[in-house]
Amino acid sequence: MEYAHFLKEKYPTLQISSEVKQASQDKLMLAQAVSWIQMGGFAISFFGAPIFQALSIPEPGWAKYLQENKGVAIMAFFFGNSVVSSMVQTGAFEVFIGGELIHSKIETGALPEIQGLIRTLGQRLPEVAATAY
């Protein structure tokens, strides 16, 4: 948004649109699975014995461990959130002018330099550059 604000300030007539690039369907499904495992582990660490009693199955050792060490469960929960977050973020920052890709953070691993972006916009869109401050 800072780039958009700066460019809009420099070129008031420039039309800027943005969209969120979604992660792949596989990553989204895996992130969902990790979230469900997180919730299950959290529930078992706090309500394990009654859950297993209600299901009429013996309580496994790992569930007893989670109940005795709730701090581990809480730490795993926060770690899981970090994993899920990294799975669904693409890191995309793609700049297109008229459908042509000008810069790709996915390809380069870096954001464009604002001065270079301004120069490219001025060269490619002279009618917008004429309105620059």
Side-chain angles (χ1 to χ4, degrees), residues 1-126:
M1 286 314 274
E2 292 173 13
Y3 276 78
H5 177 73
F6 185 80
L7 290 172
K8 201 66 169 156
E9 197 173 276
K10 179 83 174 160
Y11 300 116
T13 61
L14 183 66
Q15 296 296 316
I16 298 173
S17 65
S18 64
E19 61 184 57
V20 175
K21 182 172 175 64
Q22 294 291 323
S24 70
Q25 194 63 31
D26 292 342
K27 285 188 176 184
L28 291 173
M29 288 174 50
L30 188 57
Q32 187 69 35
V34 170
S35 293
W36 282 107
I37 291 168
Q38 272 183 284
M39 293 299 155
F42 203 69
I44 287 172
S45 68
F46 286 93
F47 311 108
I51 291 172
F52 289 107
Q53 286 173 355
L55 296 173
S56 300
I57 57 175
E59 188 174 5
W62 61 267
K64 288 180 184 177
Y65 176 81
L66 281 178
Q67 289 177 40
E68 293 168 358
N69 300 290
K70 289 180 177 50
V72 171
I74 292 169
M75 185 175 61
F77 182 78
F78 285 113
F79 178 72
N81 283 343
S82 176
V83 169
V84 167
S85 177
S86 68
M87 292 168 107
V88 297
Q89 291 180 356
T90 61
F93 188 91
E94 314 296 296
V95 179
F96 291 88
I97 296 178
E100 181 186 350
L101 181 64
I102 302 301
H103 179 84
S104 171
K105 183 180 173 205
I106 292 174
E107 291 176 9
T108 65
L111 290 170
E113 293 181 15
I114 192 70
Q115 294 305 321
L117 190 56
I118 289 171
R119 191 171 36 259
T120 301
L121 283 170
Q123 291 168 351
R124 301 284 176 100
L125 301 171

